[in-house]
Amino acid sequence: MRREEIVRAAREEFAARGVRGTTFQHVADRVGVTRGLVYHYVGDMDALVELVVDASIADFVADVRRWDAARRPGDIDGAVVECVALLRRHVHADGTAPSPRLDDVATSLQFLDRAVEAVVDTLEQTTIPAYAARHTIEIAHVRETFVVLVHGLVALVRSQPDTPDDVLATIVRQTLRLATPTPAAD
């Protein structure tokens, strides 16, 4: 229980101050424990960062699984629109929660790579086989295409946060060669 409290507090501190601006004392103060107890439960700052990254990735994957379970089979466009909304919830241009604000480039890239791999692993277990059971997959190198797509969408949302959701959805449809929705008749 204490370890989870410490990780939750560290996530909040990292979101507010960034990793470099957060000390064990900040985390201890937020939890209401001594700094020594934080060290006891997590070891050092590298281990704490790793725990926060793991928790953030687990939240993202859990959200992908909930999205997949709630999808209506055959509603490809609805799934794309909902998936774009899910991505927006987890990717913030300013690096704020729910993802930690990682102000170290190497740590940030490692987090991004691990998060994308975990999301694509989940899609390979859930969404992709469900789609393949009903439709022909029109792309080669499915896993690699999804890795490039998710990395690209994250980069686009972070660098150009004002990109409209319909543009993101169009990019997903084009990349995966999904049918374009038919506009409603007037």
Side-chain angles (χ1 to χ4, degrees):
M1 170 95 164
R2 275 287 187 209
R3 189 176 204 176
E4 290 82 17
E5 287 178 89
I6 290 168
V7 171
R8 188 172 35 258
R11 285 177 80 168
E12 292 166 1
E13 289 295 328
F14 290 172
R17 302 173 189 268
V19 172
R20 290 182 189 192
T22 300
T23 66
F24 268 39
Q25 190 62 55
H26 292 129
V27 175
D29 289 346
R30 188 174 283 264
V31 177
V33 298
T34 66
R35 190 175 69 215
L37 192 61
V38 174
Y39 278 108
H40 170 75
Y41 278 101
V42 298
D44 60 20
M45 187 57 84
D46 288 340
L48 182 57
V49 169
E50 190 72 21
L51 289 169
V52 169
V53 165
D54 290 346
S56 298
I57 291 170
D59 287 350
F60 198 170
V61 168
D63 219 10
V64 169
R65 287 189 179 281
R66 278 189 294 279
W67 162 79
D68 185 73
R71 284 182 311 104
R72 286 191 329 262
D75 183 8
I76 296 167
D77 193 56
V80 169
V81 169
E82 292 163 3
C83 192
V84 166
L86 182 152
L87 179 76
R88 285 262 191 217
R89 281 194 303 276
H90 285 275
V91 178
H92 302 273
D94 62 359
T96 58
S99 297
R101 194 172 95 212
L102 303 171
D103 31 27
D104 172 77
V105 173
T107 305
S108 184
L109 289 174
Q110 179 189 29
F111 169 68
L112 176 60
D113 289 345
R114 286 181 49 208
V116 169
E117 288 294 324
V119 167
V120 173
D121 287 348
T122 303
L123 294 172
E124 280 188 317
Q125 298 165 9
T126 58
T127 314
I128 295 169
Y131 181 87
R134 300 177 125 235
H135 310 279
T136 301
I137 294 181
E138 300 288 338
I139 56 174
H141 313 290
V142 175
R143 179 179 181 79
E144 293 82 0
T145 300
F146 272 89
V147 168
V148 169
L149 177 61
V150 177
H151 264 289
L153 290 172
V154 168
L156 181 58
V157 168
R158 287 186 60 97
S159 67
Q160 299 177 26
D162 295 333
T163 302
D165 286 0
D166 64 322
V167 171
L168 299 175
T170 298
I171 291 168
V172 170
R173 285 186 208 97
Q174 289 174 342
T175 302
L176 300 179
R177 296 187 182 177
L178 302 174
T180 304
T182 309
D186 291 333

